[in-house]
Each structure stands twice: as C-alpha cells, then as structure tokens.
Amino acid sequence: MQLTRRRLGIVVGALALLAAVAVWMLHRAGGHRQANEKPSASFAHTFAPERIDPRKLERASIAGTIRDEAGKPIAGARVCADASTTDLPYELVRDPRCTMTDARGVYQLADLYAAEYSVAAMARQYLPTRFTPDPDDELGLFELRAGERKSGVDIVLVRGGVEVTGVVSDISGGPIAHASVRAIDMERNELWPALETDDAGKFSLWVKPGYVQVSAVADGYADDRELARAPGTVEVLLTPESSLAGTVVDAATNPPVAGITVSAGGEMHESSDITDDEGHFHVTGLAPGRYDLSARSPHGYGRSDGSSGVGFGQHVTGVVVKLYPAVQISGRVVEPGDKRVTCKQSQLSLSQAEPSRWLSATRDADGSLHVDGVLPGTYEVAASCSGFVARDKYPPIAITDHDVTHLEWDVDSGAELRGRVLTKSGAPVDGATIYAQSVGGSMNGPDASHDGTSRKDGSYHLEGLKQGSYKLSVTAEQSTSPPAGWTIEVRAATVDQDLVVDEIKTGAIKGVVVDADGNPVSGASISASFAGWPTTSAADGSFMLDGVGIGEQRVTARRGNGVLRKPGTTDDAKHGEPVTVVAGQTASVRLVVDSRSAAIKGTCVDPDGNPITDAYVTAVRESDAAGSQQSSVGETRWSWDNKPTLAGTDGSFEIGELSPGAYSVRAERKGGGEAIAEHVAAGTSISLVFKPTAQLDGFVHRDGSAPEEIAITLRDDKTGFSRDEEFFRTGGSFTIHDLPAGHFTLSASAGDGKKQITIDLADGEHKTGVDIQLDRLVTVTGRIVELGTTTPVAGMDMLAELGASDGIPIRTHGNDHITDETGRFTLDNIPLGVIQLLGMPKDEVSSDYGIVRAVRNVDGSGTIDVGDIGVVKRRLKPGELPGELGVHWLAQPRDTPPDQRRYEVSWIDPNGAAAKTELKVGDVVITVDGVDVTGANHLIGYQLMRAPPATKLVLGLARGVAITIVLNAPS
C-alpha cells in the first residue's frame, strides 16, 4: 500500500527524554533508528487502509525511440511496459502494455496507471534490451506519476538475437489464439517484451542465445512457463483457470472490510485481489491445487482456516477471511554520509522463528519501506541497499500494539570489484556469471557472497563488497575458470581484476529421434552427457546441440517423466547413443526409441458406478529396473512433465503417447478425493473408483493453553501425499478436509512447542478428538569433525528435521547454525525426541567437504550436546566427473527411515567395473574403504563412491568378505 506520512504524536517531559535516549541507544547498537511509536488505530478495529486507488487517477503515458547501435531507428520493434505496484489487483497488472514502433522507431504507450514501470524492447535479429534510467540500476524501474507524459525512454538494440518459436495450447491440445507470450532472462531475471500468438497459437520471439524461460498467459487460463534453448522451439500448455472468491470481515464485529489485499498462495502459483466496497474479493488465474488465503492491510491481518482446494476450471466461493488488528512498520535504508540519503534500491525483510513468520517490505518510489499487517512479536531484521554493505546485525523490532514508524537502517560503503572476463586470446566473454565468496574470517558470520554477469564487452562489476579475501569463479557456456579459480584481496574502494578463462573446445551434434517404426519423435528433450544445455526435437524429430564439449559423449532423449528407452530394453540398460565430438566439427547421431503409440483408457466413477465428470488423470511409467519399487504414485503428484488428461462428460478418459510398460495412474477431482491404480499396462482399460474423502479434527495445546498460530503438516511417505495447513486464532482447534486414506505422519508446530505423531485414516473416515500436546523446545549443540581425524570443520550450514524420516526443516535464529572454527554449531527451537541433523558446506564451490547427516535422540532440558558428527571429504574436484561402479542398488520404499537404509546390489552391468569382481546380486555393502555406510551413515557411502575414474574402492560385504573395484571412466 502507498505509505502516507503521519503526524508525529506529542511527547512531553520525562517521556520525551526517555524516548530520545532509547532512539540514541538503538542507533548506537547497529545503525537502526526508531523515531516514532504510536498507538495504532487498528486496535480500535479501524482497518481502512490509507491509500490512493490508481484506477481513480488520471492515466499517464510513456514514449521513446528504439534505435540500433549506429543510431538508426528500428521500425516494427516490440516495446512493452510492466507495472509494479501493490495498489492494484494482480489481474490488472499481470499483462504488460505493449505496442510497435513506427517507421521513425518511435513508440508511445498510453492509458497507464500510476505505478513503477520497467520498459523493454525486442526486434527481429536483435538482442532484447531493457531501459535502464541509471546504468548502475539493475532493476530498471522508474516512477510514473498520475497524468505524467514521460518521454525519452529510449533503448538501443544490438544485433545478435536468435529465434525461439513455439505454440501455446490448451491442455486438451487445441491452440490458444491471442495468448500473451514472453521470454524471461534467467541470468538477469529480466522480463522481455510480450507478443500475442496468432490464430493457430504460434509465436516467434527474438532472444539472446542460451537458456530462457518462456511464459504464456491467456484470458480464462492459469499462466504457465517452460524452459527453452534459444534458438529452438517450445510448447506451452495452459490449463483452464480456477478462482477463489469470498469476503473479508472484521473479526470482532463481522462487517465487511474494503480495500484489503487478499493473496492466494500455493505451491506453484499465486495471485491476489483487493476487496471492493462490500468486502468481496475474487482471486483469478489460479492453477489447480490448494491455496492459503491471507488478508493484509496497514493495520490488519488475517488468514483462512486451512487451505482451499480448486480443481481444473473450478470457481470456489464463500471463503471468509477474518481480519484482526495488526500494525505497520515503516522506515528507510540510509546510505553512508552526512546527508542521510535514502537508498532507492533497498530491501527489507522481517523474520521470526517461532511462530514462523517472514515478511517482506514494500518499497515506494522514493525508497521508503513499509511492512503492513505485522502481528505482535519480536522480529529479526535484514536490510540491504544495492552497492553498499549491510550491517552484520540490526536491532530486532519488538511489536506490541503500536505502529513503529520512521525507522532507519544504516548501511556502509562497500568496495567494488570490476574488470573484464576474457579468453586467453583476448576475446570478451558475454553473459558469464561471476561468483565471489568471502574466505577467511568468521565462517559462521553473515553470508558474504556476490554474483554478477558480464556484458557484451566482457566487463563486469561486483558492488557492496566488504574488505577481505574472496574466491572468484566464472561460469560461462563455452569457457571455464581455472580449477582453483582466483583469490582476490579487496583492500581498496575499487579493485580492478581481469579474469582470463579457458576456452572450451567445442563441437556440435546434429541428429534425429525416431521410434521403432521410423516415425519422428517431436518435443523430446535432447542432451549430451557433458553438454551445457539440452535442446528440443522439432516436428520432424531433428535436433541440433551446439557448444558441446569434445570427446566421447552419450546423447539421450527424454520426454515426460523419464528417458526414452531403446526398443526392447529395461531401465537398467544404458540408453541413448555414444558419439565422438571433434572440435569445430558436427557429429551425427540417430536415436531410435520405444514407440509412444500406446494409450490407457478408462472411466472415473464414484462408489455407486456413477460417472465423475470433473476428474483429471495422470499416468507415470513404473520402473522395470531390477530391484525397483515398481510404483510411481508419488511421481504423479509432482512431475511437471506429465500433463493431466481431463475426463469427459461421461467420466471417460484416454491418456495417449505412452511407451510400452506398466503405469501408476491417479485421478483427482474438483470436490476433493482421488483414485489410484498401479501396474496398469499400456494399451489396457481401467476403472478408477473414487472413494469418500476423510476429515481430521483436532486440538493443539501447550501446558493447557491454546497457541495463536498452528502449523500442521501431514505426510504419507508411501504414496507421496503431503499437505501443509496453517490456522490463525482458532483457539487451538484445526480441521483438515479432503484427505485420502493412508498412514500419515502429522507434525504440529506452534509458538514454543512441536510434536510429531502418526495417524491412520480410512476412506471417508471423520476422525475427531485428535489431541496434540506440544513438546517443549530445547537448544541443541554439537560439533562437525572430519571423519577419521576429528579435525573440526568450519562453515557447515546445519539444520534439523523433526523425526527420523525426511521431514520439515526447523527454523532457527541467527548464524550459530553455521559451524565455527571449532566445528561447533547451535540450533534452537528443537523439540524432544528423534531428529535428523543435516548439513552442507556454506561455500559449496570451494569446500573440501560434502553433505552430512546424522540421527539423534534429543532428551533433557536447556542446551543438549549431541556430540561429534563426522563428515567425509569430497573425492571429486569441482567439475570433475565421477567414475562408474557398474552397479544398481535395490530401491527402498519412500518411508524407509534413514537409520534403516542400506546398499543392496540389484543389478550389475555386464560391461561395468563390478562385473570383473566377485560381487553378486543380493550382496549388501556395509563399508566403503573401511567406513561404515549402514543406516544413518548411508549418505557417507554415496559420497565415498563418487570418486574419479581409476579409483580403487574396497567394499566390505555383509557376508564377511571385501571386494576391490576400480572405477571405470564415465560413458
């Protein structure tokens, strides 16, 4: 919401003196000033936000000229402006405002709302470019005031663009005309201009070479995006939009509240709306799924009781969100110097571990910041300003029943590291990512990493660096850093350092993908084993991979959830084809894969045999590898590549383009509920019978008192089902609807307590009276040491998960979760009972160590020491490829606890390294090079076996013998 200045309250006598002293002390404590606290009118249930509706103001315009590098105008360029504001519903700013330049290269965008805008241009053969009012402003945003006629928004386009073509289709397969399509630069997170698809749903975008995301939106559909390689082709499938509608009411008196922002947040999509004069909201553009609804205003906050589920094209109404009193925090980030200049590229976030809250500030055009709807509690502060150094720590903000306004967070001057990325021949490298990580000093201090991207002339600059030592690395598509990178001393305000990289000698691979009958396979993702980016096969099955590293490569095709196999093979076989790539030459390959002509047909019915017409069905092939679980139910829940099929008006469905094999099939319906069938052979018909859904009611408490906020997580590891629900001011009670039958792990978290239990639900069961007494929280400490030497390992980022199986991470305060120079870490907010401790290097690039995991039983009070936890050194250098053992392991059920996992041989490659030894199918490996790899040490085994080719591994077997295997080169 737009921040409106408030008059300062009058404070007299001793109160004024005390307030002044408090402000001074806060400032001295770390650069945080608190200039005013005043009672919030919200606690008198006045929620009306102080805002100006841009829809009621005079519209504005933007104009400029698009030219090439020689200054010549570019006619027919596409120019788009994207609005950034929280004062308008999402659907009004979802689509950019676009136009084309005339013969003089001139454009004008009219009828624009007052907001912040970014403007970008695109033209045939040119690289898309965003307008940057300030060369150092990476955001490229500028304010457009009501009625303003802004001119001079000029852009220079440079040649070098390549084409991405494609089609936007309905999930049922029909093309979508007039959809808005655009590409997104993944390196710089830039939105490039959008255009409309033609009547056949086709489009053509001119982008920079490399990997891009292509997004599409259309009226009546939820937006979606796909990855694409440019040049190349891509298909974007859109699903009919769903929506949620309801009313926001005052929690105390129940009248509707106008002008409140309502957000619907889900796993993959989110959208928002602003309530009208009757308090009504209608959040549109949602993909199928479950959504939490939250309402927020400067002086109000509320959320729905649990989530709401929507199916394909379903429009759910009647949701009520109660709004409770809250306060607003406002202030600014201040640049160093005596003039107290407000940083206009600032960011601010507030966080609280228990209850878990994370709030991000809204930045106004003048750089001021505000966080609306803040509930009572004490919040940790993270403030930053682009190009400057944030303080290691800012004083926390304690919120009671007052607005906290006119805060200031000081930042310090930082150093700049600049130079050019060049090849050894002196050629500039465009689009390289430069990554700088601080080294030395306190390993458990605040993270000090920076990254940037080189420009066309190879130039780069990293701003806001603390003085100290940094390790630099460069990632580019056709060049590579020296193995050791660069260690740079930053001891001055500006440090110049050119980075000379090795050119990767590359070649290309062209080929074609056909099925067993010789028919072309389109839309397959093609990759080489050591190439940077995949590409997509065209309608005739052809493809081209360029920039491929020289040497032996294996080219594979994937589509949907897995690799496209050679006809007549299993998942244990090596798929794809080997090819030798020579520098500067193009190799050829022909991939022959299983036919995808099979289908699974069926009907969706209720228990009485009546057709269900609102179901959507997904099928994922089950692995036929030796020792596989032969179930893919979990993958049907999350696989992005398997688009569901909608049932017809008679409940029938047909899932086509399937390869031979058995499939797990799962159907969902709009009103909740699912039906599952496993081991369904392609080419057969089935009946999916929906069972009644279950409901779970319970009560969460701690020492007899009900917490204000409750977080509930339900997981069935066997089927992959999971549900996260949050409840606010429900008196400790919770209700979770639309649950399938299953064996669930339930984790409850609230305030200073947590608890994990198991729950069994039958079809249609309504389980009530689930009483959850939260366990108290303690602090856990321990040491990470090198396995075998007990040398302390600093810089390991540790977290805890509740329970012995993979669970939900437990949030903790501060930086003590990162091991210090003695290897010690400290985690707070840890419940009693069994927990998993997980850690990974803070500096993944340069660390000698890998991932660590341990299971511990926490019992006691206060601070509990869990002792030493060993971590092994990595055996692979950065970028080094592992050798091949030639063994596949028995797949274990999803719900296998970490302390029961094991390495059991399920298949031995007849041409692999293990085939030359006495290792047998069914052997259980208990040690690798003398190190125990059973149970909770399972992860250690994985890391020890990832070693360079020609490494000798000694595998100790449960049958009492040890076998030495020399790893083969990868193929």
Side-chain angles (χ1 to χ4, degrees), residues 111-329:
D111 199 32
L112 302 177
Y113 296 112
E116 283 191 303
Y117 282 87
S118 64
V119 176
M122 174 180 66
R124 186 179 180 84
Q125 306 291 344
Y126 290 90
L127 294 168
T129 304
R130 185 171 59 182
F131 173 73
T132 51
D134 180 349
D136 295 328
D137 180 4
E138 297 181 357
L139 298 176
L141 292 172
F142 60 87
E143 183 183 11
L144 188 65
R145 298 180 178 86
E148 182 179 2
R149 305 291 181 259
K150 189 173 184 66
S151 60
V153 182
D154 304 330
I155 298 175
V156 176
L157 297 183
V158 178
R159 290 189 178 273
V162 295
E163 190 177 24
V164 170
T165 60
V167 63
V168 178
S169 303
D170 185 283
I171 196 170
S172 62
I176 300 177
H178 309 297
S180 178
V181 185
R182 73 190 318 166
I184 302 170
D185 184 340
M186 297 176 61
E187 292 177 350
R188 295 184 173 93
N189 197 28
E190 291 184 9
L191 296 173
W192 290 334
L195 49 77
E196 286 190 355
T197 58
D198 62 18
D199 290 342
K202 296 181 179 180
F203 63 87
S204 169
L205 299 168
W206 286 87
V207 300
K208 76 171 190 177
Y211 223 38
V212 297
Q213 281 190 327
V214 177
S215 70
V217 297
D219 291 340
Y221 291 89
D223 62 307
D224 204 352
R225 59 183 60 184
E226 295 288 344
L227 297 178
R229 179 179 171 83
T233 183
V234 66
E235 181 182 19
V236 184
L237 296 177
L238 300 185
T239 58
E241 72 169 344
S242 304
S243 68
L244 285 166
T247 308
V248 175
V249 300
D250 186 315
T253 58
N254 284 325
V257 187
I260 305 299
T261 299
V262 179
S263 300
E267 292 183 356
M268 298 297 297
H269 286 76
E270 60 181 39
S271 186
S272 64
D273 193 19
I274 297 175
T275 57
D276 61 18
D277 292 340
E278 302 300 320
H280 297 154
F281 63 87
H282 186 203
V283 182
T284 60
L286 300 178
R290 300 198 72 87
Y291 293 86
D292 292 309
L293 286 168
S294 62
R296 196 178 296 274
S297 72
H299 294 132
Y301 173 80
R303 64 181 307 116
S304 57
D305 292 341
S307 63
S308 296
V310 292
F312 278 95
Q314 185 179 14
H315 303 285
V316 175
T317 61
V319 181
V320 175
V321 180
K322 295 179 180 180
L323 201 66
Y324 293 86
V327 304
Q328 184 184 67
I329 295 173

Side-chain angles (χ1 to χ4, degrees), residues 419-422 426-430 454-460:
R420 300 177 70 199
V421 182
L422 305 168
V429 179
D430 181 26
S454 64
R455 298 172 179 169
K456 186 179 181 181
D457 62 355
S459 64
Y460 75 93

Side-chain angles (χ1 to χ4, degrees), residues 482-713:
W486 299 266
T487 299
I488 307 297
E489 295 296 324
V490 178
R491 303 296 179 187
T494 302
V495 177
D496 293 296
Q497 178 69 50
D498 287 347
L499 306 175
V500 179
V501 297
D502 294 322
E503 292 183 80
I504 299 176
K505 293 181 179 180
T506 62
I509 301 174
K510 70 175 181 180
V512 64
V513 190
V514 297
D515 66 17
D517 299 320
N519 301 312
V521 177
S522 64
S525 176
I526 313 297
S527 61
S529 48
F530 314 136
W533 304 110
T535 190
T536 304
S537 59
D540 61 355
S542 64
F543 63 86
M544 172 68 79
L545 278 170
D546 53 13
V548 180
I550 61 173
E552 296 298 320
Q553 301 271 2
R554 179 168 290 272
V555 182
T556 55
R558 302 180 67 89
R559 195 173 182 187
N561 67 301
V563 67
L564 297 180
R565 304 183 299 183
K566 294 180 181 180
T569 63
T570 70
D571 286 331
D572 279 318
K574 277 192 175 179
H575 299 290
E577 295 292 342
V579 62
T580 302
V581 179
V582 179
Q585 298 183 21
T586 300
S588 297
V589 66
R590 179 182 176 88
L591 302 180
V592 180
V593 301
D594 270 337
S595 170
R596 292 177 60 88
S597 59
I600 293 176
K601 299 179 181 180
T603 56
C604 295
V605 297
D606 65 18
D608 297 324
N610 300 311
I612 292 178
T613 62
D614 58 358
Y616 41 102
V617 191
T618 303
V620 176
R621 186 175 61 80
E622 298 168 352
S623 175
D624 59 5
S628 68
Q629 285 296 302
Q630 298 182 336
S631 174
S632 295
V633 174
E635 284 80 351
T636 65
R637 300 185 187 280
W638 55 261
S639 176
W640 292 356
D641 297 321
N642 292 279
K643 303 297 182 181
T645 298
L646 304 181
T649 55
D650 59 352
S652 65
F653 66 88
E654 179 176 346
I655 304 173
E657 297 187 8
L658 300 178
S659 58
Y663 287 78
S664 293
V665 184
R666 189 177 63 89
E668 294 183 59
R669 65 175 307 187
K670 292 180 181 179
E674 63 181 27
I676 297 172
E678 296 184 271
H679 321 313
V680 179
T684 60
S685 297
I686 58 172
S687 178
L688 293 175
V689 181
F690 279 77
K691 304 294 180 61
T693 60
Q695 179 175 318
L696 186 64
D697 296 343
F699 179 71
V700 177
H701 57 99
R702 171 83 167 88
D703 296 331
S705 62
E708 182 178 71
E709 296 178 71
I710 305 168
I712 302 288
T713 297

Side-chain angles (χ1 to χ4, degrees), residues 210-476:
Y211 223 38
V212 297
Q213 281 190 327
V214 177
S215 70
V217 297
D219 291 340
Y221 291 89
D223 62 307
D224 204 352
R225 59 183 60 184
E226 295 288 344
L227 297 178
R229 179 179 171 83
T233 183
V234 66
E235 181 182 19
V236 184
L237 296 177
L238 300 185
T239 58
E241 72 169 344
S242 304
S243 68
L244 285 166
T247 308
V248 175
V249 300
D250 186 315
T253 58
N254 284 325
V257 187
I260 305 299
T261 299
V262 179
S263 300
E267 292 183 356
M268 298 297 297
H269 286 76
E270 60 181 39
S271 186
S272 64
D273 193 19
I274 297 175
T275 57
D276 61 18
D277 292 340
E278 302 300 320
H280 297 154
F281 63 87
H282 186 203
V283 182
T284 60
L286 300 178
R290 300 198 72 87
Y291 293 86
D292 292 309
L293 286 168
S294 62
R296 196 178 296 274
S297 72
H299 294 132
Y301 173 80
R303 64 181 307 116
S304 57
D305 292 341
S307 63
S308 296
V310 292
F312 278 95
Q314 185 179 14
H315 303 285
V316 175
T317 61
V319 181
V320 175
V321 180
K322 295 179 180 180
L323 201 66
Y324 293 86
V327 304
Q328 184 184 67
I329 295 173
S330 65
R332 62 180 185 144
V333 176
V334 181
E335 297 180 4
D338 297 334
K339 296 183 178 180
R340 310 297 299 166
V341 176
T342 300
C343 172
K344 292 191 175 182
Q345 295 186 55
S346 59
Q347 291 184 324
L348 173 73
S349 64
L350 308 177
S351 63
Q352 190 177 44
E354 293 296 340
S356 179
R357 295 171 182 160
W358 188 88
L359 304 173
S360 180
T362 298
R363 186 182 62 239
D364 295 319
D366 64 355
S368 61
L369 301 158
H370 61 92
V371 184
D372 294 339
V374 183
L375 295 169
T378 299
Y379 294 84
E380 300 293 325
V381 176
S384 65
C385 176
S386 179
F388 295 91
V389 178
R391 300 285 171 87
D392 287 348
K393 187 174 181 61
Y394 293 98
I397 301 174
I399 299 299
T400 54
D401 60 351
H402 294 76
D403 282 349
V404 181
T405 63
H406 294 81
L407 298 176
E408 292 182 352
W409 298 277
D410 291 309
V411 292
D412 299 318
S413 296
E416 178 184 10
L417 178 60
R418 65 188 185 186
R420 300 177 70 199
V421 182
L422 305 168
T423 65
K424 289 184 176 179
S425 64
V429 179
D430 181 26
T433 299
I434 301 92
Y435 179 79
Q437 173 69 50
S438 62
V439 294
S442 175
M443 290 302 294
N444 68 343
D447 188 29
S449 61
H450 302 261
D451 62 83
T453 305
S454 64
R455 298 172 179 169
K456 186 179 181 181
D457 62 355
S459 64
Y460 75 93
H461 74 282
L462 306 178
E463 295 182 303
L465 279 70
K466 285 186 176 181
Q467 293 201 0
S469 299
Y470 289 83
K471 184 171 182 180
L472 270 65
S473 61
V474 172
T475 302

